[in-house]
Amino acid sequence: MDLNTVVEIRDARDPAPWRPGDAWLGGGTYLFSEPQPHLRRLVDLSRTGWTPLHRTPDGALEIAATCTVAQLSRYARTLPTAAAPLVEQCCRAFLASFKIWNMATVGGNLCNALPAGPMISLTAALDGECLLIAQDGVRRRIPVTGFVTGAGRKDLAEGELLRSVTVPARALVCRTAFRQASLYGLGRSGVLVIGTLDPVDGSFALTVTASTVRPVRLWFPLPPTAEALRTAIGGAVADDEWFDDIHGLPEWRRHMTFRYAEEIRREVTP
C-alpha cells in the first residue's frame, strides 16, 4: 500500500533528530499493509548491516531486530540444540507466504505486539531479553514478557529502537513442547502454548500467548501437578486478559489454554 503522507525515507545509518511522524522501517510488512496517516518520515533499518543471528561466547543466541523469518528458519535447521525444532514451529505459525517470510522481521513482530505474534511466543518461551536503544544512546534490557504489555502495547519510548533479542544458552538446550489452535485451518493463532523442561535442574516453564493479551510465562522449580499448573494459570491471567476478537472468544481461548497446558505438562515431564 502506498503511504501518501510519507515525504521522506531516511537511512538509519545517518543520525538525525527524531521528530513527530517518524517511524522505524524494518521489513515493512505491517507498515505497508494499511494506512498510516500519522507518519511523515520512515527511518530505514535495512542497510544497518546488523548480523542477523550470532552465537555469543557464552552460547547465547543474539537475534537482530532486522533478522527475517526466512533467515531465522534457515539458521534453526543448523542449530544443534534441543530447542531448535521450536524455532521452526513458531516460524510456521505465521501461516504466511515466502514473500512475507523474506521481508517480515523478528523485531517488527515484537514491536507490533499482537497477541498472535509467533516471534513473541518463541522469544518469551525461551526467556528472551530485548535490547533497547534510546535516541540519546542510552541502552536498557528488558525481558520479552515485560516488553509486550498488552494487545498492541509495548514498553518502547518515543524514538526508542529495539536492537536485538538475546536467548540464553540455557534455554536452547531445553526440551520443548508446542501446541497451537486456530478456528480454521489457515487462521491466525487463537491459542499458542509452549512448554520447556530444563535438563540441568529439572525446572519447567509454560508460556501462554495468542489466547492472552500479553505473553504469560510461568516458571516452576520442578514440574507441577495438574492442579498446581491449572491454579497458576488462573492466578496469572486476569479475566479481562483473555483476548477477544474475531479469531476466538475468551471462553474458548481459556478452555484450550488449560487443555494444552495439561497436554504439554504430560509430554515433557518424566
Side-chain angles (χ1 to χ4, degrees), residues 189-268:
S189 298
V191 181
L192 203 160
V193 185
I194 297 170
T196 60
L197 185 69
D198 190 321
V200 177
D201 61 9
S203 61
F204 172 79
L206 186 89
T207 303
V208 179
T209 54
S211 57
T212 51
V213 297
R214 59 179 177 84
V216 175
R217 187 174 188 269
L218 303 171
W219 182 86
F220 304 86
L222 293 171
T225 63
E227 181 179 357
L229 181 59
R230 189 176 182 88
T231 299
I233 296 171
V237 184
D239 290 342
D240 61 356
E241 289 185 315
W242 296 103
F243 194 44
D244 183 6
D245 72 351
I246 194 172
H247 298 284
L249 293 173
E251 293 80 8
W252 172 76
R253 294 177 192 262
R254 184 178 186 276
H255 169 77
M256 293 302 296
T257 296
F258 282 120
R259 172 181 167 179
Y260 284 160
E262 176 56 18
E263 288 182 7
I264 286 172
R265 186 190 72 86
R266 293 182 181 183
E267 178 179 333
V268 302

Side-chain angles (χ1 to χ4, degrees), residues 54-181:
H54 169 66
R55 292 297 293 273
T56 65
D58 64 357
L61 176 62
E62 183 181 60
I63 309 170
T66 50
C67 175
T68 66
V69 177
Q71 289 171 325
L72 180 61
S73 174
R74 286 194 297 267
Y75 182 85
R77 296 170 201 165
T78 67
L79 194 61
T81 63
L86 178 65
V87 177
E88 184 68 12
Q89 288 172 318
C90 288
C91 287
R92 295 287 171 186
F94 266 104
L95 298 173
S97 73
F98 71 92
K99 292 179 288 186
I100 298 297
W101 274 42
N102 283 320
M103 294 302 296
T105 62
V106 173
N109 195 247
L110 266 75
C111 289
N112 280 343
L114 299 178
M119 296 298 96
I120 299 172
S121 307
L122 172 66
T123 53
L126 295 181
D127 200 20
E129 184 180 66
C130 299
L131 171 60
L132 308 176
I133 305 177
Q135 284 293 301
D136 60 4
V138 172
R139 299 185 172 213
R140 64 186 178 106
R141 294 183 180 272
I142 184 173
V144 172
T145 50
F147 177 69
V148 179
T149 59
R153 302 200 312 269
K154 62 275 187 182
D155 183 3
L156 196 64
E158 182 69 20
E160 197 170 26
L161 171 68
L162 171 61
R163 170 61 180 84
S164 62
V165 182
T166 300
V167 173
R170 184 81 169 259
L172 295 174
V173 300
C174 287
R175 180 182 177 185
T176 66
F178 174 96
R179 294 291 189 281
Q180 178 195 20

Side-chain angles (χ1 to χ4, degrees), residues 6-94:
V6 172
V7 297
E8 182 185 354
I9 297 180
R10 181 172 68 81
D11 191 329
R13 296 173 299 176
D14 300 327
W18 190 266
R19 62 194 190 196
D22 282 358
W24 298 109
L25 171 62
T29 54
Y30 165 70
L31 278 179
F32 292 102
S33 69
E34 60 183 50
Q36 310 286 348
H38 61 292
L39 296 185
R40 299 294 178 270
R41 183 173 66 166
L42 302 179
V43 184
D44 186 9
L45 298 167
S46 65
R47 298 186 184 93
T48 53
W50 296 337
T51 302
L53 297 125
H54 169 66
R55 292 297 293 273
T56 65
D58 64 357
L61 176 62
E62 183 181 60
I63 309 170
T66 50
C67 175
T68 66
V69 177
Q71 289 171 325
L72 180 61
S73 174
R74 286 194 297 267
Y75 182 85
R77 296 170 201 165
T78 67
L79 194 61
T81 63
L86 178 65
V87 177
E88 184 68 12
Q89 288 172 318
C90 288
C91 287
R92 295 287 171 186
F94 266 104

